Amino acid sequence: MDPLTPMITTNPFDDDKLREECGIFGVSGADTASAIVALGLHALQHRGQEAAGITSWDGHDFHTHRAMGHVAGNFDRDEVIRGLPGGSACGHVRYSTTGETSLRNVQPLYAELNSGGFAVAHNGNISNAMKVRRELIRRGSIFQSTSDTEVIIHLVATSSYRTLLDKFIDALKQVEGAYSLIVMTPEGMIACRDPLGIRPLVMGKLGDTIMFASETVAFDVVGADYIRSIDPGELVIVTNAGEIRSHRPFGDVHPRPCIFEHVYFSRPDSIVDGSSVYSVRKAIGAQLAIENPVEADYVIPVPDSGVPAAIGYAQQSGIPFELGIIRSHYIGRTFIQPGDKVRHLGVKLKHNANRALIQGKKIVLIDDSIVRGTTSLKIVQMMREAGAAEVHMRIASPPTKHSCFYGVDTPERTKLLAHKLDVGGMQDFIHADSLSFISIDGLYKALGEAKRECGRPQYCDACFTGDYPTTLTDQDDVVVTDQLELLAERVA
């Protein structure tokens, strides 16, 4: 993929949220592996709605079905599942953080290598993919997609190591950035996580069947038990005979998992790195109330992501929790507005004020984040039009000032409201009576850490702090190129 590809927005109502990355799910040792994977992908649909795919292995051949759109409608038909036979399967739901939106980029990606078939499902983003891709093309590789994931396949194919496992490890040591991977080969299934553990990956079990997923909620749906998280830098191999082996080729690692999984991305009924997402979000709301109190009649969440934090804020502050905004669940990402006037009014199709409740009241709105600020502006305006006496905004994360290059689709930095304005300027922009964010140390406290240690942060919090845990080779190359082009223009 080209990590600089512009954000693709299929629903302008949702363009003020950080995009979920992708979701992956793998099953090894089941009678109907692809059917289980399809169910698991349903539970992970929130992580990607543009496309979905499943690849299975029947002991002799690999079978793949990929399609644009949701899991439902593409994988709920018997003939599709019958076309994906075998005891092992892996699947992927996609939101394109890089690369174009087209069927050739839909995962799992599959290739025939010298050692046999190789299928891979990837959650994350390779931050040196462009540089590696250019070198591979120079050496004769031919790419079939614009996906950064394909870089891994070519690195495996061209590795000089003897065994497939060593080739795979060799490939991983040449890439930077974030990845959780599920790989299928004729020898078995491999699940791995990058050395920093930026993207999540968990392991589950149903009888003798081993499963891997982006979130534990996928196990709940299929009736499997959650075993543990895959450790940062760990490779777990499940052979066709059911043997499980763990490899740690990266030595000592200092994990920095994505802090935004706890704030927004993961479903509240998931367990992330051993913690209940729902409980953490309530704790974030409580800490937000401690740091940023206000006198009000009601605490109101911006649905749905603001609900747990709003409950925590209400419990800590003693202000009653109420549903002052009602969300319609029938407005999808593909809704198209026919004109600017309808676009402006469109937020009311998804969110509508509970006028009878909030008229004449002082309210505290709780949301998970502010990105561009356009949705917050519309929500505050809606509350005022419904008669709210005062509208105070409280955000369950620090200001989002920096772009993510690890598999989360964020606007370029210049379009982030917190990059352009301080908190006072943001408050004026959204027309709130007050606006406050949880502090970065407060967020860490809610996650069970004393504070953010500047020398070695426990999480990847680069979207808030600009402290990126890896080098950003492709981004640095672009900056240098831009500077050289600017210099050439000045000389001319």
Side-chain angles (χ1 to χ4, degrees):
M1 299 179 188
D2 176 358
L4 298 179
T5 299
M7 182 175 67
I8 300 166
T9 302
T10 54
N11 181 2
F13 297 163
D14 290 329
D15 68 357
D16 197 27
K17 287 290 185 182
L18 299 183
R19 300 293 190 186
E20 303 89 337
E21 324 87 70
C22 296
I24 58 177
F25 190 51
V27 171
S28 178
D31 293 333
T32 55
S34 60
I36 297 173
V37 169
L39 288 173
L41 292 181
H42 273 285
L44 300 175
Q45 187 74 84
H46 61 287
R47 299 184 73 89
Q49 294 85 37
E50 283 189 356
I54 296 176
T55 296
S56 69
W57 188 68
D58 64 9
H60 299 283
D61 299 305
F62 287 85
H63 309 268
T64 297
H65 183 80
R66 301 181 298 165
M68 306 303 297
H70 289 190
V71 178
N74 285 313
F75 291 96
D76 55 1
R77 304 191 306 273
D78 289 342
E79 62 270 22
V80 173
I81 298 302
R82 285 197 301 269
L84 296 166
S88 296
C90 66
H92 187 274
V93 288
R94 181 176 192 261
Y95 181 83
S96 60
T97 57
T98 59
E100 64 186 23
T101 302
S102 65
L103 192 59
R104 65 175 177 160
N105 285 333
V106 179
Q107 297 188 34
L109 297 184
Y110 176 78
E112 286 285 347
L113 307 184
N114 187 50
S115 57
F118 187 93
V120 57
H122 172 206
N123 173 22
N125 197 55
I126 306 302
S127 57
N128 66 335
M130 288 197 301
K131 182 177 181 179
V132 175
R133 182 188 181 101
R134 287 194 297 265
E135 176 60 23
L136 286 165
I137 291 174
R138 188 188 66 79
R139 287 157 43 189
S141 292
I142 300 173
F143 282 75
Q144 301 299 314
S145 75
T146 59
S147 168
D148 61 340
T149 309
E150 192 177 357
V151 164
I152 296 173
I153 296 175
H154 285 274
L155 289 173
V156 173
T158 57
S159 173
S160 60
Y161 282 82
R162 186 177 61 85
T163 69
L164 179 60
L165 178 60
D166 287 338
K167 289 175 182 288
F168 185 51
I169 292 171
D170 179 41
L172 296 182
K173 288 185 175 181
Q174 296 180 63
V175 299
E176 303 166 357
Y179 54 82
S180 285
L181 300 169
I182 297 175
V183 172
M184 290 201 313
T185 76
E187 299 176 14
M189 181 173 286
I190 306 172
C192 68
R193 206 171 168 194
D194 69 72
L196 294 174
I198 298 175
R199 300 266 66 86
L201 191 63
V202 291
M203 182 177 179
K205 189 174 184 180
L206 179 61
D208 294 329
T209 300
I210 301 298
M211 303 179 185
F212 303 98
S214 295
E215 293 185 37
T216 59
V217 69
F219 300 151
D220 297 336
V221 168
V222 302
D225 294 322
Y226 165 55
I227 299 176
R228 65 177 178 90
S229 292
I230 304 302
D231 290 334
E234 181 185 17
L235 281 74
V236 176
I237 300 171
V238 183
T239 68
N240 295 326
E243 179 186 0
I244 302 173
R245 300 197 302 267
S246 175
H247 294 262
R248 299 174 188 270
F250 297 100
D252 291 334
V253 297
H254 303 292
R256 286 186 63 179
C258 174
I259 202 167
F260 223 91
E261 291 286 347
H262 294 281
V263 173
Y264 174 65
F265 292 135
S266 294
R267 270 180 43 166
D269 45 344
S270 281
I271 305 294
V272 173
D273 293 320
S275 298
S276 160
V277 174
Y278 179 77
S279 296
V280 167
R281 288 179 187 168
K282 284 181 62 180
I284 292 172
Q287 183 64 29
L288 182 61
I290 292 170
E291 293 183 357
N292 302 289
V294 65
E295 291 186 6
D297 297 302
Y298 298 130
V299 174
I300 293 174
V302 177
D304 287 321
S305 56
V307 172
I311 293 173
Y313 192 102
Q315 291 177 347
Q316 176 65 39
S317 66
I319 303 171
F321 171 94
E322 292 287 354
L323 296 179
I325 303 172
I326 307 302
R327 179 189 172 192
S328 169
H329 291 267
Y330 301 98
I331 303 299
R333 289 176 179 261
T334 56
F335 184 86
I336 303 299
Q337 304 81 24
D340 290 340
K341 184 176 181 180
V342 178
R343 181 188 299 269
H344 177 71
L345 297 175
V347 69
K348 292 187 177 181
L349 289 173
K350 190 169 185 178
H351 298 125
N352 193 39
N354 187 352
R355 182 181 297 269
L357 175 76
I358 66 177
Q359 190 166 17
K361 303 298 184 181
K362 301 176 183 179
I363 62 172
V364 186
L365 291 174
I366 309 294
D367 206 354
D368 59 89
S369 61
I370 292 180
V371 183
R372 300 171 189 261
T374 52
T375 295
S376 299
L377 171 63
K378 292 174 184 177
I379 292 291
V380 171
Q381 180 182 352
M382 181 192 299
M383 296 295 98
R384 294 201 185 281
E385 290 175 351
E390 295 179 10
V391 182
H392 302 274
M393 198 89 181
R394 296 294 181 267
I395 306 300
S397 63
T400 303
K401 297 181 178 180
H402 306 272
S403 298
C404 176
F405 302 103
Y406 300 120
V408 178
D409 195 8
T410 54
E412 60 187 62
R413 191 180 180 195
T414 57
K415 295 182 180 179
L416 296 171
L417 192 65
H419 171 70
K420 298 185 289 187
L421 301 171
D422 61 14
V423 174
M426 297 174 72
Q427 176 182 322
D428 292 341
F429 178 84
I430 66 173
H431 301 310
D433 290 286
S434 70
L435 170 66
S436 297
F437 297 78
I438 192 171
S439 68
I440 187 67
D441 284 345
L443 181 58
Y444 271 77
K445 185 174 182 179
L447 285 160
E449 306 289 350
K451 64 178 181 177
R452 183 185 192 273
E453 298 293 344
C454 296
R456 186 178 292 174
Q458 298 93 323
Y459 292 92
C460 177
D461 52 26
C463 53
F464 307 133
T465 65
D467 183 0
Y468 294 98
T470 74
T471 55
L472 301 173
T473 299
D474 291 343
Q475 302 304 316
D476 293 339
D477 286 350
V478 169
V479 170
V480 171
T481 300
D482 289 344
Q483 290 174 339
L484 289 174
E485 290 178 351
L486 180 60
L487 179 61
E489 290 175 2
R490 288 175 178 173
V491 171

